[in-house]
Amino acid sequence: MQTRRDFLKKSAALLGSAAVVGSVPGLLQAKAENEVPEYPYPYVEIDPEYVEKLAYEGYFENGCCYGVAKAILVALREKVGYPYTVIPEEMFANGKEGYTCGTLCGALGGAVAMIGLVCGADDSRQLTKDLFAWYCSTNLPIYQPEAAAPVQTVAPSVNCIDSITTFMTAANVERGDIIRKRRCGGLSGDVARHTIELLNAHFGYAEMPVTEAVATEETLAANEYIGEAESFGGTVRVKVTMDGNKISKIDVLSHSDTAGVCNAAYDTIPGKILESQSTAVDVASGATVSSKAIMAAVEDALSKVGK
């Protein structure tokens, strides 16, 4: 990106300055100690409506992950300045479309990265869990500045492919449709806003947001039963259909486990249970917690049979 002459000029200047402290590494170390802020980075109160709007606009620039991260970074730059001035929002452009493979929703990816900048490990994990639980229990999109979406849907998981497929099926639209794009833009605004609401509450600037979860109970046939169990990312919810004394179908209704890591469990465990007619099956390799949670949720559903 530089001409050879410019590079040599800058190198000479750096070496000349290094003589004062003895060495180039010594100079760089002193510079780092003076300028790198202590982690976690500072946070101040931010207007949720402001980042909501910025995230929606950012989505149309470079996707949902970029939109959410940029919105929060811009707000922090304006109120705090450094170090947020040296964090490029472009680094989050790779999160669009579930990080190119339909895994974690990019909007959530951008949000949890921002949470991780301003919160220590334990707090960051709890806020991430709260954000994911909200995402999987709320009718989205809420923010719809251009035109109302034909439907609002609840994502069955934090995975992009699950969230977007649920909406497109309910709205009867294709991926390239402007309705779908506005939905994902609105969802980006929703995620950015709720992230700031959580952070404002965490740092004592506001009360914890009260969100009304969508009623998840559905009309069940006489032979259908709902079961729940706790997994790594939160609650796993299943519907078990019985044919007499036989399990005839298992539907995973929702979960918040990490995309990719948990896939083997959700792809195989329901089938194993159906085949063996027992919840005592082998766990999926690399997804032990999710596997056991699915088994426990099915057991919970089976405990209601005949009641």
Side-chain angles (χ1 to χ4, degrees), residues 5-306:
R5 180 177 297 175
D6 288 340
F7 175 77
L8 291 174
K9 283 182 179 179
K10 292 176 181 178
S11 298
L14 178 62
L15 288 170
S17 300
V20 176
V21 293
S23 67
V24 173
L27 173 65
L28 296 177
Q29 181 179 357
K31 187 176 182 65
E33 289 175 351
N34 289 332
E35 295 187 4
V36 175
E38 184 178 353
Y39 178 80
Y41 290 175
Y43 182 83
V44 295
E45 184 177 10
I46 292 174
D47 181 2
E49 291 186 11
Y50 181 51
V51 296
E52 178 181 61
K53 179 177 181 294
L54 290 180
Y56 182 84
E57 295 169 351
Y59 165 80
F60 288 97
E61 294 175 17
N62 223 335
C64 52
C65 186
Y66 170 94
V68 172
K70 178 183 179 181
I72 298 174
L73 282 173
V74 166
L76 288 168
R77 286 170 191 160
E78 291 174 351
K79 286 202 167 187
V80 178
Y82 182 82
Y84 301 107
T85 52
V86 296
I87 301 174
E89 57 265 23
E90 289 80 7
M91 67 184 287
F92 298 97
N94 62 351
K96 66 173 67 173
E97 298 177 348
Y99 294 87
T100 76
C101 58
T103 54
L104 180 66
C105 169
L108 292 176
V112 298
M114 296 301 100
I115 290 172
L117 281 178
V118 300
C119 295
D122 290 342
D123 290 337
S124 181
R125 286 173 62 85
Q126 183 57 55
L127 288 174
T128 296
K129 186 174 182 180
D130 293 343
L131 179 64
F132 284 8
W134 164 85
Y135 182 90
C136 293
S137 63
T138 305
N139 265 321
L140 301 174
I142 300 169
Y143 185 63
Q144 304 176 67
E146 296 186 75
V151 294
Q152 293 174 300
T153 53
V154 179
S157 80
V158 295
N159 293 350
C160 169
I161 189 64
D162 296 333
S163 176
I164 198 170
T165 299
T166 298
F167 173 80
M168 290 192 300
T169 300
N172 193 29
V173 297
E174 300 296 327
R175 180 176 288 270
D177 196 301
I178 187 61
I179 291 175
R180 196 281 303 167
K181 293 178 180 178
R182 287 174 179 165
R183 175 264 180 187
C184 287
L187 182 144
S188 298
D190 295 335
V191 170
R193 179 185 182 120
H194 194 65
T195 300
I196 293 304
E197 290 173 340
L198 290 172
L199 287 172
N200 282 347
H202 174 72
F203 286 100
Y205 296 115
E207 296 296 323
M208 187 63 70
V210 177
T211 56
E212 185 175 344
V214 175
T216 53
E217 289 303 326
E218 55 192 88
T219 301
L220 298 174
N223 63 333
E224 295 177 337
Y225 304 88
I226 300 295
E228 295 182 349
E230 289 303 305
S231 188
F232 188 81
T235 302
V236 176
R237 192 165 181 269
V238 303
K239 180 172 72 173
V240 174
T241 303
M242 300 296 293
D243 182 6
N245 293 324
K246 181 180 179 181
I247 304 172
S248 62
K249 188 179 181 183
I250 299 172
D251 295 305
V252 178
L253 301 179
S254 64
H255 71 85
S256 300
D257 285 342
T258 305
V261 177
C262 70
N263 288 7
Y266 290 96
D267 290 344
T268 63
I269 297 302
K272 289 182 179 180
I273 295 174
L274 282 173
E275 183 179 356
S276 65
Q277 290 295 300
S278 169
T279 56
V281 297
D282 292 335
V283 300
S285 178
T288 300
V289 175
S290 296
S291 298
K292 291 183 177 180
I294 296 169
M295 297 177 206
V298 172
E299 288 179 358
D300 182 48
L302 294 175
S303 71
K304 302 168 185 176
V305 174

